[in-house]
Amino acid sequence: MLTKIKTIYSLTPQEEATAVEVGYQRQKPYLGDPTRNVNYSEGDLWELWQHAVAAGSELAFARMIGNTTFVPHFNKWKNELDIPGLGEVRYTFNDQPKLRYTNRDNDSLVYILMADGMRHKTRRTAPDWLGVPYKAIGWLYGSQCKVDIFKYNEKSWYVPATYLSSMDTLPLEQYVKTI
């Protein structure tokens, strides 16, 4: 039984490789097609890197809550939860972390905000070769994100980290029964 949620986790070299592979697979259908990439001004390499970092955050969070078999998906196109049985993992590249919520998201799901990890290029040293750990910042239910002061535009809200619930209050009872 889960007693305390870890809030930091460094991916192993094998887990990092999995995240990079998933990042590539998520970007693969869009390679070389600027008309299908909203952020193509940054190019395919940036997009692939962004997907890999996000996949790494999903993997790190699963490990934080005790799921040692989880592998991020790449071909579900938002039809499957990032963490089945629990909710969505959102990664922030911003130094002032905010949880992004859109009108396409689900009010009843849990949204977890993650930071750091593979975003940071670091030198690795033997024997563990671990990089910068991912950090779980906090969480909210989708419905809690839809507050006027967080509204960015008609389609999205950005909740500053200071308004998120503490990770030790994350409702994992139902999820733990599924792993």
Side-chain angles (χ1 to χ4, degrees), residues 103-120:
N103 63 354
R104 294 181 304 173
D105 292 325
N106 185 322
D107 287 355
S108 64
L109 291 179
V110 167
Y111 291 83
I112 298 108
L113 183 63
M114 300 285 288
D116 294 332
M118 290 175 21
R119 167 185 168 202
H120 302 284

Side-chain angles (χ1 to χ4, degrees), residues 14-131:
Q14 296 78 16
E15 291 166 338
E16 257 190 33
T18 296
V20 170
E21 173 66 17
V22 170
Y24 170 76
Q25 292 295 337
R26 288 180 180 178
Q27 183 60 23
K28 188 177 179 181
Y30 306 105
L31 290 174
D33 189 353
T35 63
R36 295 185 67 201
N37 268 342
V38 177
N39 295 317
Y40 197 81
S41 61
E42 300 287 347
D44 279 318
L45 182 58
W46 183 88
E47 289 283 321
L48 188 152
W49 171 74
Q50 176 182 285
H51 287 304
V53 171
S57 73
E58 295 163 19
L59 190 52
F61 180 73
R63 299 303 186 261
M64 288 176 190
I65 60 173
N67 187 332
T68 59
T69 61
F70 172 82
V71 176
H73 54 76
F74 59 84
N75 61 355
K76 302 299 181 185
W77 310 113
K78 300 289 183 186
N79 293 324
E80 189 175 302
L81 295 178
D82 290 342
I83 305 295
L86 182 63
E88 295 287 303
V89 175
R90 296 289 161 88
Y91 185 84
T92 180
F93 286 88
N94 196 320
D95 290 329
Q96 295 178 352
K98 294 180 181 176
L99 176 65
R100 177 182 52 84
Y101 183 82
T102 73
N103 63 354
R104 294 181 304 173
D105 292 325
N106 185 322
D107 287 355
S108 64
L109 291 179
V110 167
Y111 291 83
I112 298 108
L113 183 63
M114 300 285 288
D116 294 332
M118 290 175 21
R119 167 185 168 202
H120 302 284
K121 182 179 176 188
T122 59
R123 288 224 177 257
R124 312 305 168 83
T125 56
D128 63 15
W129 302 101
L130 299 178

Side-chain angles (χ1 to χ4, degrees), residues 172-179:
L172 285 175
E173 302 78 26
Q174 188 65 32
Y175 172 75
V176 171
K177 293 176 188 174
T178 67
I179 60 170

Side-chain angles (χ1 to χ4, degrees), residues 110-168:
V110 167
Y111 291 83
I112 298 108
L113 183 63
M114 300 285 288
D116 294 332
M118 290 175 21
R119 167 185 168 202
H120 302 284
K121 182 179 176 188
T122 59
R123 288 224 177 257
R124 312 305 168 83
T125 56
D128 63 15
W129 302 101
L130 299 178
V132 173
Y134 278 92
K135 295 179 184 164
I137 305 294
W139 71 277
L140 282 179
Y141 285 107
S143 61
Q144 295 173 302
C145 298
K146 294 166 69 174
V147 176
D148 285 344
I149 62 170
F150 307 139
K151 195 165 196 166
Y152 178 72
N153 58 31
E154 294 305 312
K155 297 179 181 180
S156 56
W157 295 259
Y158 286 86
V159 183
T162 54
Y163 289 90
L164 300 179
S165 296
S166 170
M167 291 306 297
D168 61 359

